[in-house]
Amino acid sequence: MRAARLTAVTAVATAAALTAVTGCTEKSGAADGEHVVTVTATDDACEVSTSEFPAGHVELAVENKGSKVTEVYLLFPDDRVVTERENIGPGTKQRVTAEVKAGEYRIVCKPGMKGKGIRQDVKATGGKAAARDPRLDEAVAAYRQYVQQQADETLPKAEAFAKAVEAGDLEAAKKAYAPSRIGWERTEPVAESFGDIDPKVDVREDGLEDGQDPATDWTGWHRLEKALWQDGKIGDREKELAATLVTDLKDWQNRVGKADITPTSMANGAKELLDEVATGKVTGEEERYSHTDLVDFKANVEGARTSYELLKPVAKENDAALTAELDRQFGALDKLLDQYRPSTSSYEFTSYDKVGKADRKELSDAVNALAEPLSKLAAAVVAKERGDRR
């Protein structure tokens, strides 16, 4: 999960009002084609090249001219995520390809990757759907089955975790904690796309919004993680939170089949999972009490690889060099992770507090080596449909 989450805000009526309130402005004219929207981020502004673009495949050409790492989102009006890109460093550029239907959207920049972000209302016009290779429809259908399967398999594991907490069995709860998170971590971008479920089940204490009280507003896995490992006790509040976690995960299970999934969201979701690894797992911040980060790490990589493998037949035709590099980097990262578990048939990993600085650097380098080519997967998947407009 990310350190901070977006919350819904009231849309302003005009572009002028939006500029005055948020510092987000519109630049005249697209930079390199009507399907490309340039996004220039600074520490206090977010400029977009146009407020309207054709429905279909749109590409956000992002440049961070600020002094802080930023992230950029394309959102539905209700803050559901269409696509996103994190970890855009100062002075760097990235491109994000998404498939959008005609309608209203928002582009959001988040300097420092914190807060509600600087927002710009935009519109996709025209009713023509993006052309799609039939094999990509098959990939989307297969991925839908995968995310539903992960949700279905998570529920009994989460219920076992909750029962241990409710019974006050500290050791049993600790043992059940990490396995209960695997399915979620494999498909986290889909869960995050709903906007409201992730803050309930997977937020860390430092990810709470301003004004939220950890004593009353912090719920989910990591609240219980802290109680189990740092506090070393299970009270009435923890028992209540365990039951709430199961309720929230059932909500996820029931809604995941209705998620908006496209070939580009699958590709971008794979990259998002690597961003999750880079910002939370490699640093040890995600599982700071239990030190089960490598379990999450492996699940994130597995989820990313599933998306990639489903999209690979089309991506390989469009960019064989890219898929060859992705095969190599996925293999290298899997081999490295396997060094931290006793058996490839086991989901047990070395406690992350036992992984030294040099080894963490090696893991980080392997993640970065995979993330760079993975950021190009969405563009490769739709290259023929877009006609390589770039």
Side-chain angles (χ1 to χ4, degrees):
M1 58 130 294
R2 287 181 289 275
R5 299 294 174 190
L6 293 164
T7 57
V9 296
T10 301
V12 293
T14 66
L18 184 62
T19 300
V21 173
T22 68
C24 197
T25 60
E26 179 187 339
K27 294 163 67 178
S28 61
D32 50 353
E34 62 178 358
H35 288 266
V36 177
V37 179
T38 60
V39 181
T40 305
T42 64
D43 293 343
D44 56 10
C46 185
E47 297 180 342
V48 300
S49 60
T50 180
S51 61
E52 292 190 7
F53 47 83
H57 294 122
V58 62
E59 188 169 22
L60 303 183
V62 184
E63 181 176 8
N64 184 4
K65 292 187 175 180
S67 62
K68 303 175 182 178
V69 174
T70 194
E71 55 192 27
V72 172
Y73 294 78
L74 180 63
L75 302 176
F76 291 102
D78 60 2
D79 275 8
R80 287 178 296 122
V81 178
V82 179
T83 192
E84 64 180 280
R85 183 57 50 85
E86 298 182 354
N87 299 319
I88 306 172
T92 64
K93 299 179 181 180
Q94 292 199 31
R95 286 182 176 253
V96 190
T97 301
E99 183 177 329
V100 297
K101 299 177 182 178
E104 306 287 337
Y105 298 91
R106 290 182 182 135
I107 292 175
V108 180
C109 302
K110 292 181 65 179
M113 298 175 66
K114 295 182 178 180
K116 297 177 181 178
I118 305 166
R119 298 170 173 234
Q120 170 70 65
D121 286 0
V122 294
K123 180 188 293 186
T125 59
K128 184 178 179 181
R132 183 182 291 175
D133 187 312
R135 291 173 297 174
L136 295 178
D137 288 324
E138 294 174 3
V140 169
Y143 189 66
R144 282 190 181 280
Q145 290 182 338
Y146 174 73
V147 296
Q148 186 66 62
Q149 178 188 27
Q150 294 305 308
D152 293 345
E153 292 178 356
T154 293
L155 255 295
K157 295 177 181 178
E159 288 170 341
F161 170 60
K163 286 179 180 178
V165 173
E166 291 164 354
D169 191 333
L170 191 68
E171 292 307 313
K174 285 182 176 181
K175 186 175 181 179
Y177 171 78
S180 75
R181 292 177 47 75
I182 293 170
W184 173 274
E185 291 291 336
R186 286 172 176 161
T187 60
E188 192 166 1
V190 177
E192 289 177 346
S193 71
F194 295 114
D196 61 335
I197 297 177
D198 183 81
K200 296 177 182 178
V201 305
D202 198 31
V203 73
R204 301 194 302 259
E205 186 172 9
D206 56 356
L208 294 172
E209 298 289 346
D210 292 341
Q212 288 188 304
D213 184 352
T216 57
D217 299 322
W218 187 19
T219 61
W221 271 302
H222 294 302
R223 166 64 177 80
L224 292 166
E225 178 203 6
K226 182 179 181 182
L228 296 175
W229 274 273
Q230 177 167 293
D231 301 337
K233 61 182 181 180
I234 298 173
D236 290 341
R237 176 60 174 162
E238 286 71 38
K239 294 177 182 180
E240 292 173 2
L241 289 173
T244 300
L245 174 65
V246 171
T247 298
D248 290 334
L249 289 174
K250 286 181 178 178
D251 183 25
W252 164 56
Q253 179 191 33
N254 291 333
R255 292 165 62 184
V256 72
K258 304 179 183 69
D260 288 301
I261 298 175
T262 66
T264 55
S265 75
M266 289 170 59
N268 290 326
K271 174 59 167 61
E272 290 163 28
L273 285 169
L274 266 291
D275 288 340
E276 291 280 348
V277 174
T279 59
K281 282 68 174 185
V282 169
T283 62
E285 295 176 54
E286 179 81 352
E287 306 290 358
R288 61 191 65 176
Y289 309 111
S290 65
H291 306 299
T292 56
D293 302 271
L294 288 175
V295 176
D296 292 0
F297 191 142
K298 179 64 174 178
N300 286 157
V301 174
E302 287 177 338
R305 187 158 199 167
T306 296
S307 292
Y308 165 60
E309 293 292 346
L310 290 171
L311 298 170
K312 181 179 173 180
V314 173
K316 186 174 181 178
E317 285 187 6
N318 295 336
D319 193 339
L322 176 65
T323 56
E325 178 66 8
L326 285 169
D327 287 343
R328 189 173 73 84
Q329 296 299 345
F330 267 117
L333 184 53
D334 280 337
K335 184 177 180 181
L336 185 58
L337 278 172
D338 286 345
Q339 297 178 17
Y340 294 93
R341 58 177 175 167
S343 168
T344 55
S345 63
S346 167
Y347 228 96
E348 296 180 6
F349 285 83
T350 301
S351 180
Y352 203 58
D353 58 338
K354 306 299 183 184
V355 179
K357 184 176 181 180
D359 291 330
R360 292 190 183 198
K361 175 65 164 54
E362 185 179 25
L363 287 165
S364 178
D365 289 345
V367 169
N368 291 335
L370 172 58
E372 193 281 327
L374 198 56
S375 69
K376 301 174 183 177
L377 179 60
V381 164
V382 300
K384 288 182 180 178
E385 286 83 354
R386 290 188 306 123
D388 289 319
R389 294 185 183 96
R390 227 189 280 176

